[in-house]
Amino acid sequence: MQTLKKTLLLLVLLTATWACTATKTETEKTEVATMDQLAERYVKTLLKLGQYDSDIVDAYYGPEEWKPTGEPADTLPADEFLTEFKAIQQQLNLQDTTNLPADEKRRVAMFKKQIIAAITKVEMMQGKKYGFDEEARLLYDAVPPHYELSHFEAILSDIDKQLPGKGSITERWDAYRAKFEIPKARLDTVFRAAIAEARTRTKAHYTLPEQENFKLEFVTDKAWSGYNYYKGKGYSLIQINTDFPIYIERAVDLASHEGYPGHHVFNVLLEQNLVDKKGWKEYSIYPLFSPQSLIAEGSANYGIEVAFPAGDRMKFEKEVLFPLAGLNASEADRYYTILEKIGQLDFAGNEAARLYLDGKITREQAADMLVKYNLYPKDKALQRTRFMDKYRSYVINYNLGKQLVRNYIEGNGGTENNPDKRWELFGELLSNPNTASMLK
């Protein structure tokens, strides 16, 4: 009888231990499934939201069956979208990240920032107004700095001394710059050479899918100068806008920004490392109005310098691109010195956008600011205000994004005199969850 009691007690203990283990295993499975479920709900909801604004979904390379079927409602069902996004947000806030590996913690942190942006975008579509800085913080996880116009006046004074001719700075810059315009008949040849070189330099450092490729098109009547439409599986459509003259420096700029190691490579690495390898389906969609864009645009702009350090770039352009464009390279050094100074005026565009979008100046006044402080021709300045209308505080992603990426890469040792480290850090940045506040 004692033996039987001991046997029964042992069975009870074993059953209890098995039950605890089974419960723990089921809990772990539920936690993983919860993140996957949230990712699926998030992607499907964004795809539906994209039916009401074609700019919302910049790229999607997830399951085909997740795409919405049928026609959207005649009016935006904002409350339905807000309810769903806030429900996802609530579940994300319940995630226990205490014992998660570092990459999983970053996944949750980035997801939370993305969902804040999604909620904000729906509210804006519903008619809610945000000030420029608050909108930038909610959508892109960054608040742009403020500059007094006197800061730019000092830079303009320096440029003024370097420009030949008579007239205003803008007029003299237009006249001088005309010598560096790529003839339209040579655009395709010059851009293909620039992209090929950028691609070669990038592939020397990163392993990209064997089938990765792109299609290059020249288009008109756009609010932007270049655009990358990532299609998934390592393939992109790169479009270049020819509404305005395209100058020689833009070949390398756009080849790197839109292609290698910019947007094309960013999307390839996200798909390869986060979607395919880790199964993080929230990265199968790229929502344009989100913190991901600050990293995308900032890295694409900084990536120009990663692929083409100043000395290398000048050598390549003088020896290859200038001859292909039929341009005289004798003035190249002076031209690029002035361009570097003009680049220091970038944040003036943010000041114009803030004042314009906050209703403090008119479109015409914003265009005049761009003419004066960014040396835009008037017609291009007006085109830029169209960009502000369409994309609003998105403008901060190019210059502030570049600044934050530069500070992060170079602050961790990826300086120009340590190019291998710079490529390494840049690749890690593109391949992992990152948002502006994570780079500080």
Side-chain angles (χ1 to χ4, degrees), residues 258-414:
E258 306 298 345
Y260 305 83
H263 291 323
H264 175 69
V265 174
F266 181 47
N267 282 294
V268 166
L269 293 179
L270 285 181
E271 182 179 25
Q272 180 176 263
N273 296 313
L274 300 188
V275 179
D276 294 343
K277 288 184 181 178
K278 294 188 175 182
W280 295 357
K281 295 297 187 185
E282 69 268 29
Y283 286 94
S284 65
I285 194 166
Y286 171 15
L288 190 69
F289 304 102
S290 75
Q292 190 171 332
S293 279
L294 183 136
I295 302 301
E297 300 294 1
S299 63
N301 269 353
Y302 184 66
I304 300 167
E305 298 175 31
V306 175
F308 292 91
D312 284 357
R313 173 174 180 161
M314 186 63 72
K315 184 175 186 296
F316 171 68
E317 293 202 14
K318 284 181 176 179
E319 294 178 359
V320 179
L321 297 188
F322 272 79
L324 287 176
L327 300 177
N328 185 346
S330 63
E331 279 276 314
D333 291 312
R334 182 185 188 183
Y335 180 61
Y336 276 88
T337 298
I338 298 173
L339 277 175
E340 190 276 329
K341 289 286 184 185
I342 291 173
Q344 296 174 25
L345 297 168
D346 271 355
F347 280 89
N350 289 11
E351 299 304 322
R354 181 190 288 109
L355 291 169
Y356 171 52
L357 295 173
D358 283 349
K360 295 179 180 178
I361 61 174
T362 65
R363 177 191 304 278
E364 195 72 22
Q365 289 171 320
D368 287 342
M369 281 187 67
L370 294 174
V371 170
K372 179 176 181 179
Y373 294 107
N374 293 103
L375 305 187
Y376 281 24
K378 186 60 178 283
D379 54 352
K380 189 171 183 180
L382 287 168
Q383 182 211 38
R384 188 63 177 171
T385 64
R386 284 175 53 204
F387 186 94
M388 295 172 186
D389 289 334
K390 190 174 179 65
Y391 298 107
R392 297 186 55 80
S393 61
Y394 193 93
V395 297
I396 74 161
N397 293 326
Y398 299 97
N399 42 41
L400 181 58
K402 179 182 177 180
Q403 185 181 82
L404 292 174
V405 170
R406 179 197 297 281
N407 292 344
Y408 173 78
I409 298 290
E410 297 182 4
N412 285 283

Side-chain angles (χ1 to χ4, degrees), residues 31 103 107 144 147 228 230 239 255-256 349 359 438:
E31 288 175 355
D103 63 335
R107 179 192 185 186
Y147 287 91
N228 176 294
Y230 188 68
Q239 292 187 334
S256 299
M438 292 181 187

Side-chain angles (χ1 to χ4, degrees), residues 9 60 98 109 121 189 191 324:
L9 180 60
Y60 176 65
T98 308
K121 183 58 182 173
T189 300
F191 268 86
L324 287 176

